Amino acid sequence: MGLDLQQIQAFLDNEFAVQLIATAIKFAVVFAICIQVPPIMIWVERRAPALMQRRKGPNRVGFFKLRLWGLLQSAADAVKLILKEEIVPRGANKIFFQIAPIFGVIPALLIACAIPYGNDFQLFGYNIPLSIVNVDVGFLFILAVSSLGIYGITIAGWASNNKYSLLGSLRASAQMISYEIPLGMSLIPIVLIYGTLDLNQIVIGQSNLWNWGIITSPISFMIFFVCMFAETNRAPFDLAESEAELVAGFHTEYGSAKFALIFLTEYVVMFILSCLASTVFFGGWQIPFVPHDTLMQLIGGLHIPVLPYLLDLVGWGAPFLSLSLQEMGVHSLIASLIGVAVLFIKAGFFMWMYVWVRWTLPRFRYDQLMSLGWKFMLPVGLANIFVTAIIVAILNFK
Amino acid sequence: MNPYLPVLIVLVFAIIFGCIMSGLSHFIGPRKRTLSPVKDEPYECGVPMVGERDKMSVKFYLTAILFILFDIETIFLYLWATTFRELGWFGIVEVTIFLVILVAGYVYVVKRGALEWD
């Protein structure tokens, strides 16, 4: 045996090391998911409108006879983009042109780490949270970091030395900052109702279907839902890249892998906002009508006959031995992972909404967009906070 | 473990990932030195470039200024929302006063037409 049991024990006794390894594993998984989301979404976004418009959409790329409904088209596109020549337009600010996509992707990856993908689980006697960045300011961290994404867009548009890029980036940044105010306001009633900024605590507070954010604060959800589209510059608010006027908006001059990076950022942000919407308003990792404790008991009671086969092989003929998952100590881990799947199903619904809305609604005009944000959402958001505060106060304060 | 340590780890990783992705084409992609003068021209649908990127509407600046005002207000509301249960009715009265002042400013902004886009 190359492994020394005492060494393993000593390692497991060191909480810092265990948490560090756990963080690394969690981040690797989240990162892998974030990388996988854009190709799949791009595929959905090509196939779904094709279905809606009675076209075929991409269905050719594949290995030999295996076509996978054109799923590999996205992979081919990614490879193609990376293999393209890198062109920096004349007169562009070279440094800023290079770093703008990086500026965009950093906040996207940071907020991906603040979402509680599942409940905390117990392993080796440690409490391991399933969100990577587990800060107690939850919401504020997400809002603060996500607004940094505007820098990437603004710098990209400015550095390109192209008037379409500049216009697109100006529109995008003005729109994003305008809708950030209602976005922030729509989450305040949630903080009031659940009494915490910690996202995981908010999910725990939504243990029942009647406690879901969409039931307790429906107006908040409506505001948040509209802001989701505006923040990601998606149709019907995609004025920043309205093809007819601005070519492609702020990333007109971008090609090759940098374009891939910009695209990746866009879809990662969409995915995270979908996760956030399901976390805050749709119970996150909670399964409706199945409390997490019940789920854990259910899983903990499952017996898995692991050892007998091994023992039979050795020929010991030991009595039938089966351990329940609870005895093995992994039931809380498995329950949390089921929660992750549930959250992804809910987030997937919102991702589908993005596509659905894009191919259903026509584009807004820019003044309509701005007046919707400033003259409708902002007052409604304020009134929503005020009314929620009064109701919560009447219900809770004596 | 300090809860902000993962932030640092993720930040460093994100920067590395961004740099690698951004520089990928630089090293993998072809680098042809063509002498065509139009190759690295800013995109203009194939015709000679018209105009420069110089003027932008003052409305964008105005939006940015208003954003700062109202965003800070949102942050203040977050502070109140976190301590909502401890402050009780006192907090609600305070926030009402705060909001009244703010709404007065908002009404002024709307009346002056700062939010009009034409």
Side-chain angles (χ1 to χ4, degrees), chain B residues 35-55:
Chain B
L35 293 169
S36 165
V38 292
K39 183 176 174 184
D40 57 352
E41 213 168 55
Y43 183 77
E44 180 88 24
C45 315
V47 296
M49 206 162 79
V50 184
E52 284 287 317
R53 42 148 207 195
D54 47 0
K55 290 187 193 118

Side-chain angles (χ1 to χ4, degrees), chain A residues 65-127:
Chain A
K65 296 274 180 185
L66 190 70
R67 279 183 182 160
L68 292 173
W69 311 278
L71 192 55
L72 290 173
Q73 181 81 49
S74 312
D77 280 348
V79 173
K80 181 203 78 174
L81 279 174
I82 288 168
L83 293 178
K84 284 284 174 187
E85 185 183 355
E86 183 184 43
I87 293 173
V88 181
R90 195 187 313 144
N93 189 327
K94 286 213 171 49
I95 298 168
F96 283 137
F97 187 80
Q98 300 279 1
I99 65 169
I102 307 174
F103 255 77
V105 80
I106 292 170
L109 284 179
L110 267 176
I111 47 173
C113 296
I115 306 275
Y117 292 98
N119 199 4
D120 303 1
F121 61 89
Q122 282 78 38
L123 204 63
F124 309 127
Y126 294 114
N127 185 49

Side-chain angles (χ1 to χ4, degrees), chain A residues 27 82-83 85-86 89-90 133 143 158 161 163 177 184 187 192-193 253 256-257 374-375 382 386 393 397, chain B residues 7 13 21 25-26 28 30 37 39-40 42-44 50 53 63 67 73 78 85 88 92 96 106 116-117:
Chain A
F27 180 62
I82 288 168
L83 293 178
E85 185 183 355
E86 183 184 43
R90 195 187 313 144
V133 174
L143 286 177
W158 174 255
N161 187 28
K163 48 184 184 293
I177 59 174
L187 295 174
L192 293 177
I193 291 166
E253 291 296 346
S256 69
W374 284 99
K375 290 185 185 162
L382 274 179
F386 194 69
F397 303 162
Chain B
V7 181
F13 185 85
M21 265 303 271
S25 291
H26 188 75
I28 296 179
K39 183 176 174 184
D40 57 352
Y43 183 77
E44 180 88 24
V50 184
R53 42 148 207 195
T63 310
F67 160 72
E73 172 221 341
Y78 265 98
R85 312 256 158 157
I92 292 183
T96 311
Y106 174 74
E116 301 296 329
W117 289 72

Side-chain angles (χ1 to χ4, degrees), chain B:
Chain B
M1 191 163 73
N2 188 328
Y4 287 92
L5 185 64
V7 181
L8 190 69
I9 297 171
V10 173
L11 184 68
V12 169
F13 185 85
I15 292 171
I16 294 171
F17 168 70
C19 291
I20 290 175
M21 265 303 271
S22 187
L24 215 52
S25 291
H26 188 75
F27 297 107
I28 296 179
R31 257 183 289 179
K32 297 185 190 119
R33 293 237 166 265
T34 40
L35 293 169
S36 165
V38 292
K39 183 176 174 184
D40 57 352
E41 213 168 55
Y43 183 77
E44 180 88 24
C45 315
V47 296
M49 206 162 79
V50 184
E52 284 287 317
R53 42 148 207 195
D54 47 0
K55 290 187 193 118
M56 51 177 109
S57 170
V58 73
K59 287 288 174 192
F60 290 111
Y61 295 100
L62 211 54
T63 310
I65 293 168
L66 291 176
F67 160 72
I68 291 176
L69 282 178
F70 285 97
D71 205 41
I72 290 174
E73 172 221 341
T74 318
I75 297 302
F76 278 137
L77 285 179
Y78 265 98
L79 295 183
W80 160 70
T82 351
T83 52
F84 178 64
R85 312 256 158 157
E86 290 96 79
L87 289 177
W89 286 107
F90 168 73
I92 292 183
V93 172
E94 290 281 297
V95 155
T96 311
I97 296 167
F98 175 63
L99 284 185
V100 164
I101 296 170
L102 223 126
V103 168
Y106 174 74
V107 169
Y108 173 76
V109 165
V110 172
K111 281 273 184 308
R112 283 300 296 264
L115 302 173
E116 301 296 329
W117 289 72
D118 37 27

